[in-house]
């Protein structure tokens, strides 16, 4: 379990809230103390999806974000200068 401020106990894994949408090849990035999970494949790499979620460490919860304009998987987002524009731009050419 995370300590206040979102810092996990040293040298120890802990269980956190599960990602609302199970997938693989999910784009992951951190911005402003939140973890973002963007797109990914479902059905054993057969179908990408465009859902986006952010994880709040201190509260141990995921929140749905605006979806991508189209389904994407396997991208490597770079965050900065505004979440939505950065996320959509990162996957525009994927």
């Amino acid at each position: 379990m995370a300590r206040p401020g979102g810092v996990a106990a040293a040298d120890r894994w802990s269980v956190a809230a599960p990602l609302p949408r199970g997938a693989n090849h999910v784009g992951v990035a951190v911005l402003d103390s939140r973890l973002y999970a963007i797109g990914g494949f479902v059905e054993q790499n057969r179908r990408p999806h465009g859902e986006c979620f952010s994880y709040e460490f201190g509260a141990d919860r995921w929140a749905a974000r605006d979806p991508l304009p189209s389904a994407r998987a396997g991208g490597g987002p770079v965050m900065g200068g505004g979440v939505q524009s950065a996320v959509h731009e990162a996957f525009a050419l994927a």
Side-chain angles (χ1 to χ4, degrees):
M1 177 175 269
R3 287 189 248 165
V7 179
D11 299 322
R12 181 183 298 213
W13 286 97
S14 60
V15 176
L19 184 61
R21 171 78 157 173
N24 62 67
H25 291 82
V26 175
V28 179
V30 175
L31 177 69
D32 296 331
S33 300
R34 288 183 186 254
L35 175 71
Y36 290 83
I38 305 155
F41 281 117
V42 295
E43 299 176 4
Q44 296 296 321
N45 298 344
R46 290 187 193 106
R47 186 171 56 93
H49 73 85
E51 293 178 84
C52 299
F53 301 95
S54 65
Y55 179 76
E56 188 177 342
F57 291 97
D60 185 33
R61 69 175 170 221
W62 289 93
R65 306 293 295 202
D66 289 342
L68 295 171
S70 61
R72 299 286 184 198
V78 176
M79 305 298 269
V83 174
Q84 288 308 118
S85 62
V87 169
H88 290 173
E89 295 276 332
F91 279 81
L93 301 175

